[in-house]
Amino acid sequence: MPQIFLGQLLALGESDGKAPNSFLILRGGESPSRKGTLLLDDAAREAILSDFALGGVDVGIDLEHSWAKANVPTAERRAYGWFKPAVLEDGSLIATEVEWTEEGRALVESK
């Protein structure tokens, strides 16, 4: 898993109206959420990265986590883009080298 330093990722978190080629997945350490505080420590980060690596391919970007929902028909589980996961020096997980489908790019850029 590559480690990327903050200075190398100038576009992260910035928006010019175009679909990003990188974005934050989860900050290292504690993050507030609607379901309570999330903790991304070394063990959690390694578990997530191991899960990403199981497929042996880039990680897909879907809508509303449809791939993880048993009640969503397989035909409706489609990718709107793919990315390679990486870790920042502060332990945050990011998506890099994002490749959007035409539909995915249009959805993001129309937001």
Side-chain angles (χ1 to χ4, degrees), residues 62-69 72 80:
D62 64 346
L63 294 180
E64 300 175 5
H65 299 297
S66 64
W67 287 345
K69 296 178 180 174
V72 176
Y80 291 87

Side-chain angles (χ1 to χ4, degrees), residues 5-57:
F5 296 95
L6 291 172
Q8 296 173 305
L9 203 61
L10 299 175
L12 186 65
E14 297 177 9
S15 175
D16 59 1
K18 299 201 186 275
N21 62 10
S22 62
F23 58 85
L24 178 69
I25 299 170
L26 188 60
R27 291 195 186 288
E30 293 185 355
S31 297
S33 81
R34 290 179 287 196
K35 295 185 177 187
T37 301
L38 298 175
L39 175 62
L40 182 60
D41 59 9
D42 291 341
R45 185 174 29 265
E46 288 307 314
I48 293 168
L49 292 173
S50 293
D51 191 47
F52 282 164
L54 284 178
V57 295

Side-chain angles (χ1 to χ4, degrees), residues 66-84:
S66 64
W67 287 345
K69 296 178 180 174
N71 64 334
V72 176
T74 303
E76 293 178 22
R77 299 177 191 181
R78 62 180 189 246
Y80 291 87
W82 294 266
F83 67 88
K84 293 176 178 23

